[in-house]
Amino acid sequence: MRERVLGEVHARPFRPLTCPRTVLHYAFLTSAEEAARDHDWLSEFCVSRGVPGPATGNRHHTLTFGGGTLSWEQHAEFTTYTWDGSARPDQLFGQLAATHPFGAAFRAPGDLLVAVRLELREPVENEDWRSQFDESSLTVSNLEDGAATVVTDFRQDGDGLTRMLLFNRSLSSVQSGAVVQRLLEVETYRTLAMLGLFEATGLQPEIRRFEIELAEMTGQMKDAAALGTNQELLDKLSALAAALEAGATASAFRFGASRAYAEIVKARLETLREEAAPGDLSLASFLARRLAPAMRTCQAIEDRQAMLSRKLARATTLLRTRVDVELEQQNRSLLQSMNRRARLQLRLQQTVEGLSVAAVSYYVVGLISYLAKAAKDAGLPVPSANITTGLAVPLVVLLIWWVVRRIRKHHGEH
């Protein structure tokens, strides 16, 4: 990637601009699919005009159009088109030149977010240009240690364009191009940064609802004693935590992007080295009046999400511990019951074993009785069958008891 890394420094060079000049700048929010379609459309547009289009994978391209220069750039979530062309020196904000590319044939790649018209002019003695702007939001700043002056009110005109007027006192053409690009970036990134404010405003009611529900459930935890009630509360807390994390994950990109865009705006304003003209507001002071509170609001919502997530985690852990303790108590009671049942079974088994000794002995004695009778009838020298049977009873009982005892002992050892 060495070649791409080294070339990135020169990817977006400043275009030299001379007075008088009109610059039109548009920024569109684009997804990955929209950006790919826009790349294909621009390639076809360039081919139709007989010029090469952007190479595959390129995110910026420049071509000559309508007596001026059209620049195309793709960023992470937006695409910009910037065109600069010659302008009449006697007209600050007159009718747009018909040669600009943003007519009926232009295909917008996505939702329009930024539209700027910047006029680069030689300085004038009078201040008739003030009538072109809204005095309530007018900012006039000297740039580059007084080498230029920029005027804007950050409001849209009838064409939906934010107007900027740049008077060049002693800037070179390259410096003029750099200042123009930085001013356009200030307008673009401050608009993108403000998107986080509306994301935060939309999340506030939901976060407040989560906070109220968490307070109610933690109150119920104090009075909940039954295992079923605690498990129900645990399910509710888990569902609440999942909903909170889903919202935090969805808004994390927007809040992070807004912080990054706000830092870019701050860096661009510092690079411009601007100072407010006597009696007027500067760009930085006007933007700080709304941009800084918006960023603080985004940060506050992120902090509330993080704090709520920690509280939910603690409440869930506490409740889960309680449920686990109750389950362990139930398991202990179940084990005690099983132990009692096992002892009863052992006693029953011992009783059965005693009965089995008697039953087996009875059958064995019966067999001995039959053997004694058969031996007597066969003429063998044996006592009478009754005497033989009577004498065999205690011996057989002792023998059967000893055998059963050995078997039970053998099983106990294994």
Side-chain angles (χ1 to χ4, degrees), residues 179-410:
V179 169
V180 166
Q181 183 167 327
R182 287 164 183 158
L183 289 173
L184 296 178
E185 289 175 347
V186 166
E187 175 63 15
T188 301
Y189 289 117
R190 71 100 181 177
T191 308
L192 286 162
M194 293 298 289
L195 291 178
L197 173 64
F198 302 100
E199 181 78 16
T201 304
L203 286 173
Q204 279 183 344
E206 184 178 10
I207 293 177
R208 181 56 183 162
R209 178 175 62 84
F210 289 161
E211 292 171 341
I212 294 174
E213 290 184 8
L214 178 59
E216 292 176 351
M217 282 188 278
T218 50
Q220 294 174 9
M221 286 172 56
K222 296 187 299 183
D223 304 326
L227 178 60
T229 304
N230 286 329
Q231 288 179 331
E232 183 180 354
L233 281 174
L234 184 59
D235 292 339
K236 291 181 179 179
L237 280 174
S238 299
L240 190 64
L244 175 64
E245 292 301 325
T249 303
S251 61
F253 169 78
R254 176 49 53 203
F255 290 153
S258 291
R259 283 195 300 271
Y261 293 143
E263 289 298 322
I264 293 175
V265 171
K266 181 179 178 181
R268 295 298 182 269
L269 291 174
E270 290 177 353
T271 305
L272 288 171
R273 301 200 305 273
E274 61 142 358
E275 292 182 356
D280 291 296
L281 288 173
S282 66
L283 292 171
S285 61
F286 180 83
L287 292 177
R289 189 175 63 89
R290 288 304 304 151
L291 188 59
M295 295 303 100
R296 286 195 293 269
T297 301
C298 295
Q299 186 63 49
I301 291 297
E302 277 194 299
D303 293 342
R304 287 175 65 185
Q305 285 178 329
M307 179 63 70
L308 190 56
S309 179
R310 290 193 293 270
K311 289 181 178 179
L312 274 170
R314 288 197 297 266
T316 302
T317 302
L318 177 62
L319 193 55
R320 184 177 290 111
T321 303
R322 181 186 295 181
V323 170
D324 291 341
V325 170
E326 291 178 354
L327 288 174
E328 289 176 358
Q329 291 177 347
Q330 285 190 353
N331 292 336
R332 184 179 62 182
S333 300
L334 180 60
L335 289 174
Q336 291 175 348
S337 175
M338 292 174 63
N339 289 335
R340 289 194 298 269
R341 190 176 295 110
R343 286 194 295 269
L344 291 175
Q345 289 177 348
L346 178 60
R347 292 176 183 176
L348 180 61
Q349 180 182 353
Q350 292 173 346
T351 302
V352 171
E353 288 175 356
L355 295 176
S356 65
V357 169
V360 173
S361 299
Y362 172 78
Y363 286 109
V364 173
V365 170
L367 293 175
I368 293 175
S369 175
Y370 286 121
L371 289 174
K373 290 179 181 179
K376 187 67 176 177
D377 293 341
L380 296 175
V382 295
S384 65
N386 291 335
I387 294 175
T388 302
T389 303
L391 293 174
V393 168
L395 296 176
V396 169
V397 171
L398 289 174
L399 179 62
I400 297 300
W401 173 81
W402 179 79
V403 171
V404 171
R405 187 170 180 271
R406 285 291 304 272
I407 293 173
R408 186 172 65 185
K409 183 178 180 181
H410 176 74

Side-chain angles (χ1 to χ4, degrees), residues 141-155:
S141 298
N142 294 321
L143 309 179
E144 300 287 346
D145 301 324
T149 300
V150 61
V151 182
T152 184
D153 58 2
F154 296 101
R155 296 189 182 276

Side-chain angles (χ1 to χ4, degrees), residues 20-161:
R21 208 75 177 168
T22 297
V23 180
L24 298 179
H25 175 77
Y26 293 88
F28 304 89
L29 290 176
T30 51
S31 63
E33 294 78 9
E34 291 172 334
R37 289 195 297 268
D38 184 56
H39 185 282
D40 295 339
W41 176 85
L42 182 64
S43 299
E44 296 176 359
F45 177 80
C46 292
V47 170
S48 67
R49 298 188 60 84
V51 295
T56 303
N58 280 10
R59 303 177 65 88
H60 51 86
H61 190 66
T62 302
L63 66 148
T64 302
F65 186 96
T69 302
L70 176 63
S71 297
W72 167 83
E73 294 184 12
Q74 281 188 342
H75 301 262
E77 62 173 333
F78 65 97
T79 300
T80 62
Y81 281 87
T82 307
W83 177 81
D84 64 273
S86 59
R88 291 173 52 186
D90 59 339
Q91 197 172 21
L92 294 179
F93 291 103
Q95 186 177 3
L96 289 174
T99 57
H100 71 80
F102 306 110
F106 178 74
R107 176 185 174 276
D111 294 332
L112 176 64
L113 185 66
V114 179
V116 183
R117 176 179 179 179
L118 188 148
E119 299 287 346
L120 178 61
R121 293 289 190 271
E122 298 287 348
V124 293
E125 297 296 332
N126 56 51
E127 293 189 352
D128 294 341
W129 46 265
R130 285 185 176 271
S131 61
Q132 303 282 342
F133 300 95
D134 183 357
E135 285 288 343
S136 63
S137 59
L138 180 64
T139 64
V140 183
S141 298
N142 294 321
L143 309 179
E144 300 287 346
D145 301 324
T149 300
V150 61
V151 182
T152 184
D153 58 2
F154 296 101
R155 296 189 182 276
Q156 296 183 6
D157 60 9
D159 297 321
L161 299 167

